[in-house]
């Protein structure tokens, strides 16, 4: 986090002996490199940098919520939210393609309390996939990129899952959005350093969270997108003079919160309630540089495996 904070504050990176302006991927890549060191057995790859042959076919991230009799309790807190979203999208579908049967479907949905109850209604949607659309925030308000697919398949052996399809077109749409947000964030971040207005700090915070919102929906990494995203949030907020005091509520997940929220504004409001932001203490500026303190892979692995319980407050 401090490495991200220091790098973004300077807005410059050194690559292959040359210094250039920092881009959004450079900021995320700092967290990616630390994630690789934290668990070398699990490769963390940028999906758009995979071989062209693999990229042309697309890469799907697949998360099973229910598979047969097995329920993934990690995502249990989101079942009701996802179910309600599916019900809303079914109404949109029937409103467009089956307006005469809309009233009947609406009445049937009132009796849906669990995923299994959707079976008779979902039969009319051939591929049993419901897309969560993501509207552009900056580039074009009318542009709508693919979000995630909420899949409900296999009547005999039920499979209820969340899937992202990382195609070249979808990746380009999201990266264009992220690049625009990052450009705005960099400009407002520099202005914040010369300002004491609370509104400026709040605008920077919203842009940081919006950046992460689209990153989570893109899911550009083979694994670890959530922890990388939240590390970037904390590091970028530190660069803007804020620190995260609060904790993520039990049962909540950063990536799923972004994927099941309809807009970056809604995601920002929720995340800020969790984080309980405070101004950085003055002594923070005297902390040594991460790069100077942990110069070797060994020291990086050691600090990642340090028990920090005694240094963390018991209550957020």
């Amino acid at each position: 986090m401090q490495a991200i904070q220091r790098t973004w504050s300077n807005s410059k990176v050194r690559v292959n002996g040359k210094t250039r302006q920092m881009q959004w991927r450079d900021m995320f890549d700092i967290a990616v490199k630390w994630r690789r060191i934290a668990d070398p057995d699990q490769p963390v790859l940028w999906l758009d940098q995979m071989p062209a042959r693999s990229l042309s076919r697309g890469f799907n991230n697949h998360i099973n919520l229910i598979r047969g009799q097995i329920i993934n309790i990690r995502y249990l807190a989101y079942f009701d939210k996802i179910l309600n979203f599916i019900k809303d999208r079914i109404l949109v579908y029937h409103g467009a393609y089956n307006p005469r049967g809309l009233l009947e479907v609406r009445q049937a949905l009132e009796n849906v309390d669990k995923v299994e109850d959707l079976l008779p209604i979902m039969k009319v949607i051939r591929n049993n996939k419901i897309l969560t659309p993501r509207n552009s925030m900056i580039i074009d308000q009318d542009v709508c990129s693919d979000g995630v697919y909420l899949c409900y398949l296999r009547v005999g052996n039920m499979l209820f899952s969340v899937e992202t399809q990382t195609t070249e077109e979808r990746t380009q749409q999201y990266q264009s959005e992220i690049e625009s947000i990052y450009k705005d964030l960099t400009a407002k971040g520099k202005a914040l350093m010369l300002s004491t207005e609370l509104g400026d700090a709040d605008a920077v915070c919203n842009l940081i969270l919006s950046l992460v919102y689209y990153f989570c929906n893109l899911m550009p990494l083979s694994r670890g997108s959530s922890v990388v995203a939240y590390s970037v949030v904390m590091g970028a907020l530190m660069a803007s003079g804020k620190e995260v005091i609060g904790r993520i509520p039990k049962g909540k997940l950063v990536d799923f919160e972004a994927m099941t929220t309809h807009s970056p504004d809604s995601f920002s409001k929720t995340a800020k309630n969790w984080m309980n932001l405070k101004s950085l203490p003055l002594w923070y500026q005297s902390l040594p540089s991460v790069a100077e303190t942990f110069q070797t892979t060994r020291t990086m692995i050691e600090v990642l495996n340090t028990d920090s319980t005694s240094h963390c407050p018991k209550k957020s």
Side-chain angles (χ1 to χ4, degrees):
M1 291 178 290
Q2 192 195 15
I4 296 168
Q5 183 262 343
R6 293 284 174 91
T7 307
W8 189 57
S9 294
N10 297 330
S11 296
K12 298 284 185 180
V13 290
R14 192 169 181 81
V15 181
N16 298 327
K18 297 181 179 180
T19 302
R20 61 170 173 78
Q21 193 71 25
M22 184 180 181
Q23 302 299 320
W24 70 269
R25 190 184 288 250
D26 298 315
M27 183 167 64
F28 281 95
D29 207 39
I30 295 169
V32 168
K33 290 174 181 177
W34 278 87
R35 174 64 176 80
R36 287 170 180 159
I37 293 171
D39 194 348
D41 290 338
Q42 297 183 347
V44 182
L45 307 172
W46 289 92
L47 298 181
D48 65 345
Q49 292 181 352
M50 293 182 72
R53 184 169 152 190
S54 300
L55 188 62
S56 62
R57 293 177 180 176
F59 186 95
N60 291 0
N61 278 298
H62 202 82
I63 302 172
N64 289 333
L65 305 180
I66 301 175
R67 187 181 183 90
Q69 301 299 317
I70 301 173
I71 297 176
N72 194 333
I73 60 173
R74 184 185 180 192
Y75 306 102
L76 200 58
Y78 291 93
F79 276 36
D80 288 341
K81 187 174 183 179
I82 293 174
L83 185 60
N84 289 330
F85 178 84
I86 289 176
K87 290 161 72 173
D88 289 339
R89 298 306 298 178
I90 287 174
L91 288 175
V92 171
Y93 175 88
H94 280 276
Y97 299 103
N98 183 28
R100 293 184 179 180
L102 183 59
L103 180 59
E104 182 181 348
V105 171
R106 191 186 300 275
Q107 291 173 344
L109 286 173
E110 291 177 358
N111 298 320
V112 172
D113 297 317
K114 54 186 183 297
V115 176
E116 292 87 339
D117 297 336
L118 286 172
L119 266 175
I121 303 170
M122 290 290 285
K123 285 180 181 178
V124 299
I125 303 178
R126 292 182 180 179
N127 63 0
N128 283 358
K129 287 187 178 183
I130 291 181
L131 177 64
T132 63
R134 292 287 177 264
N135 286 87
S136 170
M137 188 177 82
I138 292 177
I139 301 173
D140 187 341
Q141 296 291 336
D142 295 326
V143 172
C144 189
S145 302
D146 290 352
V148 298
Y149 284 97
L150 304 174
C151 309
Y152 187 87
L153 305 170
R154 298 181 190 170
V155 177
N157 182 19
M158 189 175 67
L159 173 63
F160 183 47
S161 64
V162 173
E163 180 181 294
T164 58
Q165 298 182 345
T166 308
T167 61
E168 191 170 357
E169 181 182 2
R170 181 179 184 272
T171 298
Q172 186 56 50
Q173 288 176 334
Y174 272 89
Q175 288 187 354
S176 296
E177 189 75 26
I178 292 171
E179 285 170 4
S180 294
I181 295 173
Y182 183 78
K183 184 177 180 181
D184 196 16
L185 173 60
T186 302
K188 283 187 167 57
K190 290 178 180 178
L192 178 63
M193 294 179 183
L194 305 174
S195 172
T196 57
E197 296 292 330
L198 293 177
D200 292 338
D202 195 52
V204 167
C205 178
N206 288 337
L207 283 170
I208 291 170
L209 291 170
S210 296
L211 190 76
V212 168
Y213 170 82
Y214 285 103
F215 180 89
C216 288
N217 276 281
L218 173 58
M219 291 189 73
L221 304 175
S222 57
R223 65 173 67 247
S225 292
S226 181
V227 67
V228 165
Y230 201 64
S231 297
V232 168
V233 166
M234 298 180 77
L237 285 171
M238 289 161 73
S240 70
K242 299 291 183 181
E243 68 172 330
V244 177
I245 302 297
R247 298 179 182 178
I248 301 172
K250 186 177 180 180
K252 297 294 184 180
L253 301 164
V254 176
D255 54 348
F256 250 63
E257 200 65 35
M259 288 189 289
T260 58
T261 303
H262 68 277
S263 71
D265 290 340
S266 298
F267 173 70
S268 295
K269 289 177 183 177
T270 300
K272 282 191 286 188
N273 286 335
W274 295 354
M275 295 187 299
N276 187 20
L277 296 176
K278 303 292 182 183
S279 296
L280 278 175
L282 295 176
W283 55 261
Y284 179 82
Q285 297 298 329
S286 63
L287 290 175
S289 164
V290 171
E292 294 173 0
T293 307
F294 309 106
Q295 297 183 7
T296 65
T297 302
R298 179 189 178 95
T299 56
M300 295 169 78
I301 293 173
E302 286 174 347
V303 74
L304 287 169
N305 286 277
T306 299
D307 184 2
S308 58
T309 306
S310 60
H311 301 285
C312 298
K314 293 182 179 180
K315 294 183 179 180
S316 58

